[in-house]
Amino acid sequence: MNNNKKEELNYHNLNEVIGLSKKMLKILYTCVILAIIVFVIILFKNLEIFKVLGSILGVISPFFIGLVIAWLLDPAVTYLQKKNVKRSIGTIVVFFVFILILYLLFRIMLPLLYTQLNEFITNSLPTLIKSTGTFIENLFTKLEATGFDFTSVETSVYKALENIGVDLTTGLPKAALNVVSTLVSSIGTFGLGLIVGFYLLIDFEGVKKIFNYIPIKNKEGFNYIIGKLNIAFRSFVQGTLFISLIIMILSSIFYGIIGLPSALLFGLICGITNIIPYIGPWIGGAICVIVGLTVSPLTGILAGVVAFAIQQVDGMILQPLIMSKTMKLHPVTIMIGLLVFGYLFGILGMIFATPIMASIKIIASYY
């Protein structure tokens, strides 16, 4: 009887060891894959392969814009097709609604954003600069009261601020010209993308058949991976855009209520930064708090409370309800992706880090 109990206990311990070993191997496997990806990306960056790819993508960007538009609108057209609406008619209807929404969005938002941006530059920005200067002056006065000499540090700080001011003054006209030229170019590229997207959407099933010509032995596995990626990406894009829109609206309303200047502008900033997981929302909130402090300490504190409250709504309601487990990634994996792609590609890298990591997981899990 005792021997049986010992054997059962041994089997139990053995199963625990095997389970632990599997987990360790899984972690090691993930780390090796990440290390290979980082190595390849760094190699490509040092060889300036990304610059060449960037130039090529810049030339054919209208096609990719059109492909993304067609991909996003395809479910709506397919739904109409199931309701016995001809695909060509469905495409025209969906595209008309899409362009109408874009027109109304820009027609309403752009004048408001221009007014608030102008107000911020002429009124709030000088106040922010003045408040920063006063804060630094008071800080050094208190530090010198301790008996230590901070003259050299103070001189260096003021010199750095002076250089920033000079750079802003001399570089602002050039930056504004670059923004205008980039905007005009982007509008033209997006317009071409709309035309391409319309024609692709009419026969999107035909576009999908391109995959049939790829010489892959395991077609079934390839189609499985593409299907999984398609579902994950579509859910991620739709969910992220919808959540960012809600965050922008909530931020604009509540920042306006507490008296933060250019509330719509900072609501838009919060909506855009919210695309970056974990880090982004706090970046947007921190900017609003800093600007709020230039109005009054109370406004700064209230801006912090609003930012915290909205992030709680996002984390506890919006993310679980809308996004659910779309990406099915561990938070640590997302943070690693943010650090790696943020270091290599900046803000854009942080925005695309999550879907890229999800793609890598889907492909690696299959194989």
Side-chain angles (χ1 to χ4, degrees):
M1 192 74 173
N2 291 333
N3 289 336
N4 290 337
K5 285 184 178 178
K6 285 180 182 179
E7 284 180 8
E8 286 178 10
L9 185 63
N10 289 338
Y11 277 121
H12 177 71
N13 291 340
L14 185 62
N15 287 334
E16 282 188 348
V17 171
I18 291 170
L20 183 63
S21 301
K22 283 183 177 179
K23 287 179 182 177
M24 290 178 68
L25 283 171
K26 193 175 180 180
I27 294 169
L28 181 63
Y29 177 65
T30 305
C31 290
V32 169
I33 290 173
L34 286 173
I36 292 169
I37 291 165
V38 171
F39 173 76
V40 171
I41 290 171
I42 292 171
L43 182 66
F44 274 37
K45 191 174 183 182
N46 290 335
L47 294 174
E48 297 188 344
I49 293 173
F50 286 121
K51 286 186 178 179
V52 177
L53 291 175
S55 301
I56 295 168
L57 289 174
V59 174
I60 59 174
S61 58
F63 173 77
F64 281 102
I65 291 170
L67 187 62
V68 170
I69 290 170
W71 173 69
L72 286 172
L73 299 181
D74 179 57
V77 178
T78 304
Y79 173 79
L80 290 176
Q81 203 173 0
K82 288 177 181 177
K83 298 293 181 180
N84 298 322
V85 178
K86 286 183 68 176
R87 184 156 187 103
S88 55
I89 303 297
T91 301
I92 292 169
V93 171
V94 170
F95 234 80
F96 176 76
V97 173
F98 176 66
I99 292 172
L100 182 64
I101 291 169
L102 287 179
Y103 171 76
L104 292 174
L105 189 65
F106 284 105
R107 183 75 180 82
I108 296 167
M109 290 287 291
L110 282 181
L112 287 171
L113 284 173
Y114 173 78
T115 303
Q116 296 209 351
L117 184 61
N118 187 49
E119 179 192 332
F120 177 73
I121 291 171
T122 54
N123 299 326
S124 301
L125 190 59
T127 306
L128 179 61
I129 294 168
K130 185 179 178 181
S131 300
T132 304
T134 305
F135 172 77
I136 292 171
E137 188 178 342
N138 293 335
L139 178 65
F140 279 111
T141 301
K142 290 176 181 178
L143 288 173
E144 285 171 2
T146 59
F148 293 97
D149 185 18
F150 289 97
T151 308
S152 58
V153 179
E154 187 177 359
T155 305
S156 300
V157 170
Y158 280 119
K159 186 68 178 174
L161 288 172
E162 186 183 341
N163 290 336
I164 291 169
V166 171
D167 290 340
L168 280 172
T169 307
T170 55
L172 200 57
K174 186 180 178 182
L177 185 64
N178 288 336
V179 168
V180 171
S181 61
T182 304
L183 186 62
V184 172
S185 175
S186 299
I187 290 170
T189 304
F190 186 74
L192 287 172
L194 280 174
I195 296 168
V196 172
F198 177 78
Y199 285 108
L200 288 176
L201 189 57
I202 289 176
D203 187 26
F204 199 66
E205 288 300 320
V207 175
K208 293 178 185 176
K209 289 177 183 177
I210 294 172
F211 293 120
N212 295 334
Y213 298 100
I214 298 174
I216 298 174
K217 291 180 180 178
N218 189 1
K219 286 281 185 183
E220 186 180 340
F222 178 77
N223 291 332
Y224 172 81
I225 291 171
I226 292 295
K228 284 282 187 183
L229 290 174
N230 181 52
I231 293 168
F233 280 171
R234 195 183 299 281
S235 301
F236 175 77
V237 171
Q238 291 172 346
T240 301
L241 291 177
F242 187 64
I243 289 173
S244 294
L245 179 63
I246 294 173
I247 295 295
M248 187 195 80
I249 293 169
L250 290 175
S251 300
S252 300
I253 291 170
F254 286 103
Y255 285 140
I257 290 170
I258 66 171
L260 190 75
S262 309
L264 181 62
L265 176 65
F266 289 105
L268 179 64
I269 290 170
C270 289
I272 293 171
T273 55
N274 195 75
I275 296 172
I276 303 170
Y278 300 111
I279 300 169
W282 300 111
I283 294 172
I287 293 170
C288 295
V289 170
I290 292 167
V291 174
L293 288 171
T294 63
V295 179
S296 70
L298 179 61
T299 306
I301 293 168
L302 289 175
V305 171
V306 168
F308 180 77
I310 289 173
Q311 290 318 308
Q312 294 307 305
V313 171
D314 179 31
M316 298 177 69
I317 300 173
L318 297 178
Q319 291 288 345
L321 187 64
I322 297 169
M323 295 296 283
S324 186
K325 294 182 178 180
T326 302
M327 293 288 101
K328 295 180 181 177
L329 292 173
H330 194 278
V332 175
T333 308
I334 295 174
M335 290 302 295
I336 291 171
L338 289 173
L339 291 171
V340 172
F341 289 100
Y343 171 75
L344 294 171
F345 306 109
I347 295 296
L348 277 177
M350 295 177 79
I351 290 171
F352 291 105
T354 303
I356 290 170
M357 294 297 287
S359 304
I360 292 166
K361 183 188 174 183
I362 289 169
I363 295 167
S365 297
Y366 176 79
Y367 284 104

